[in-house]
Amino acid sequence: VMRPMSCPQFASSFAGESAVPSNLLLPTNLVDPSRTKRPPPSADCSLPVLRTCDAAIPAHLSPIQTWVETLERQDSEPVGVAQLHPDVFAVQPRLDILHQVEIWQRNFKRISHAHTKVRSEVKGGGRKPWNQKGGGRARHGSIRSPIWRGGGVSHGPRGPTSYYYMLPMKVRVQGLKVALSSKMTQDYLHIVDSLNIPTPDPQYLLDLIRHRHWGQSVLIVHVGEELPENILQATADMKTVNIIPAIGLNVHSMLKHEALVLTMETVQFLEEKLLWHDKRYTPLYPFKLPYSDL
Amino acid sequence: MSFPKKPGGKATDILQNLPRITLANLRPEPGSKKLEQRRGRGQHGGNRSGRGHKGERQRGNRPRLGFVGGSTPFYLAIPKYGYNEGHSCRPQYQPLSLKRLQYLIDLGRVDPTQPIDLTQLVNARGVTVQPLKRDYGVQLVDEGADIFAAKINIEVQRASEGAIAAIERNGGVVTTSFYDPISLGILIKPVPFFLRGQPIPRRMLPGEDMVPYYTNAENRGYLADPEKIQQARLALAQKYGYILPDISKDELYHMLSMRKDVRQIFFGLAPGWVVNMTEKKILKPTDEKLLKYYSS
């Protein structure tokens, strides 16, 4: 199975120059034989199962097994095995829902402030410039009509327009599930036991990512308010490696970053929140108000 | 099939071999984005811009809707009759069939061991009542009377005879009671009402035209005489041909005989009380005048 490559082998005919020009931009979708795919853990694996699904899995589906890695060492040996819920991490890859949610995320916040003046709003132009007849010139009623230079715009953008709309809640939830599943199937999802790093040095993370061939950009998702300071300091000034809380997980960020790193508590949180929507009743009043049974 | 299906199906196998899904790879489902019609542009949209040829059509001077060239139009020739007169004042009742009620009980959404109220039905999402659209509550409908088999204490706003017979045949109790629109709104969505911080109001008594309905024992009205209701139960049992089970010997007799007071909206709460949801407290009035007003 082929994967995008990080550093192609080029041979240069000029003796003095280096193999890869420095301003070469390669698409990351190129074939990369060096990024080997580690096969998913089989049933008879020596490593311990660190996490099982809390929610009930439907009888016709089986949980997904993934490796659990660690950030404390640079080597890429997995520490354990985790089981993920198939209804969150292996749903149908609905690319149309992903597209819908991505476009919604871009546009629902948009307010375009473009505004042009109509002929009645442009300063002046109340008086008829010259008589209707007798001048030899074309007839006009005001100097600010849209035909005139300096006149108003007939059908231009009018005022701040809002492009706000909401997709149904379940569509947005399904978008998150589809994004997580596509990261899972394409091997860009990595589960990590905790976010403890030995040094607050950003170079350590970059070396780790390069060594494990995770990709150009990594999105780390955590849960809870307390975080080890090392990772916060390391990711603070880095553009390509970003850390966000689990409530901030969104389709755009997931698609923008190549790799997604989740801790086991994050997986627990996400499963709980995303699976709740499959079984809930329709709301009588907004969910923010207290419900006794939901 | 007995062996577990692979989650995601064939699509995930294909996806594993395809390039990474990125922001550059997304596109809408083919056929979902239909281009909007732009008048007056291009060879086919231009020229007359879809307005036709000359005349009122192209020049935008067509007469008003309903005009038929000068003779008396249809909407004036037909005489008026009060089909829809006062339609916005007529009370409407959302129908609830016994089939649906049995479905809800079987799925466990409605608890038959507690008195079934409109709040319980709405919490179970069994009915949707819109008090702002002149809905005055829920009416029981006969459909599913032959398959109905549950002993319940139900309180609705209207009930058909067949539905009353079906419920009493199984040893249950039906009551019809009146809720004015404000009380109905509170009954359906109690939590937003409690968050408002207002005291629970008194339920109003029915208007002149509804009093005969709710004082009639055959409709099991809440204002009717209990003895007459018992006689009506026997009469109905004779009419429909079933033996009326004796409720007083039932173990759930206490629950089946729970009725709301005429001015009460919720079972455990009396009018005048204020419910504080954040601190989980109930505040009751102590002033004499207030107590006299709320208990009258």
Side-chain angles (χ1 to χ4, degrees), chain A residues 246-265:
Chain A
I247 31 178
L249 189 65
N250 57 86
V251 164
H252 177 83
S253 303
M254 281 203 269
L255 292 175
K256 186 155 182 175
H257 295 79
E258 264 193 61
L260 186 63
V261 169
L262 305 176
T263 56
M264 297 206 288
E265 298 93 27

Side-chain angles (χ1 to χ4, degrees), chain B:
Chain B
M1 294 288 222
S2 54
F3 47 88
K5 198 171 76 168
K6 201 155 59 154
K10 297 177 196 164
T12 38
D13 294 335
I14 304 170
L15 197 63
Q16 275 170 352
N17 298 331
L18 288 175
R20 174 167 70 100
I21 299 176
T22 55
L23 293 170
N25 278 341
L26 292 180
R27 59 187 71 83
E29 183 79 9
S32 64
K33 301 280 178 188
K34 187 155 179 176
L35 290 173
E36 68 166 80
Q37 201 173 19
R38 296 186 73 218
R39 307 275 189 175
R41 303 281 187 281
Q43 181 188 3
H44 305 288
N47 204 12
R48 298 199 193 95
S49 310
R51 296 290 306 222
H53 175 66
K54 279 194 193 176
E56 283 176 340
R57 294 165 194 232
Q58 192 175 17
R59 292 168 181 146
N61 289 326
R62 271 201 257 212
R64 63 182 182 277
L65 186 68
F67 184 71
V68 289
S71 54
T72 318
F74 173 79
Y75 71 93
L76 287 181
I78 305 295
K80 283 199 205 180
Y81 185 81
Y83 289 112
N84 294 336
E85 180 156 3
H87 74 283
S88 55
C89 303
R90 282 184 216 150
Q92 295 176 347
Y93 296 91
Q94 180 76 8
L96 172 68
S97 63
L98 291 172
K99 187 172 150 197
R100 175 111 179 119
L101 187 55
Q102 185 66 51
Y103 174 80
L104 294 170
I105 293 173
D106 288 339
L107 285 181
R109 278 153 74 160
V110 163
D111 191 9
T113 56
Q114 295 293 322
I116 296 181
D117 197 9
L118 186 54
T119 326
Q120 301 304 316
L121 287 170
V122 166
N123 282 351
R125 311 303 191 277
V127 290
T128 309
V129 188
Q130 296 166 306
L132 296 175
K133 301 284 177 193
R134 275 72 63 190
D135 271 355
Y136 271 64
V138 155
Q139 54 178 329
L140 274 179
V141 166
D142 286 359
E143 181 189 347
D146 40 350
I147 44 169
F148 190 75
K151 187 167 65 174
I152 46 173
N153 174 5
I154 191 161
E155 194 204 45
V156 286
Q157 281 68 52
R158 289 258 145 141
S160 69
E161 214 182 23
I164 300 175
I167 294 181
E168 289 184 346
R169 186 200 343 246
N170 289 309
V173 170
V174 196
T175 326
T176 48
S177 56
F178 174 79
Y179 286 89
D180 57 290
I182 301 179
S183 317
L184 193 70
I186 296 170
L187 187 67
I188 294 168
K189 298 188 186 179
V191 173
F193 171 73
F194 293 144
L195 290 173
R196 272 181 243 163
Q198 292 164 8
I200 300 174
R202 295 190 298 179
R203 209 201 319 171
M204 294 286 117
L205 291 168
E208 259 187 57
D209 38 348
M210 298 225 224
V211 165
Y213 183 87
Y214 287 108
T215 41
N216 193 354
E218 268 161 48
N219 302 329
R220 308 291 185 272
Y222 70 132
L223 299 169
D225 212 356
E227 292 157 9
K228 291 200 184 139
I229 289 186
Q230 190 55 29
Q231 287 166 12
R233 281 163 62 93
L234 289 165
L236 198 66
Q238 267 192 345
K239 177 179 172 188
Y240 274 80
Y242 60 87
I243 309 167
L244 186 69
D246 199 1
I247 326 175
S248 49
K249 301 199 176 79
D250 201 342
E251 57 203 10
L252 290 171
Y253 174 61
H254 172 71
M255 185 279 289
L256 287 176
S257 60
M258 270 170 86
R259 299 286 183 89
K260 281 188 198 171
D261 183 49
V262 174
R263 294 288 199 177
Q264 198 185 10
I265 301 184
F266 296 108
F267 259 116
L269 305 168
W273 294 2
V274 181
V275 173
N276 187 339
M277 292 206 64
T278 42
E279 286 173 26
K280 308 230 161 105
K281 284 192 184 146
I282 299 180
L283 309 165
K284 302 179 190 175
T286 45
D287 192 27
E288 273 178 28
K289 284 189 195 165
L290 283 175
L291 285 169
K292 199 171 144 193
Y293 169 74
Y294 279 120
S295 58
S296 60

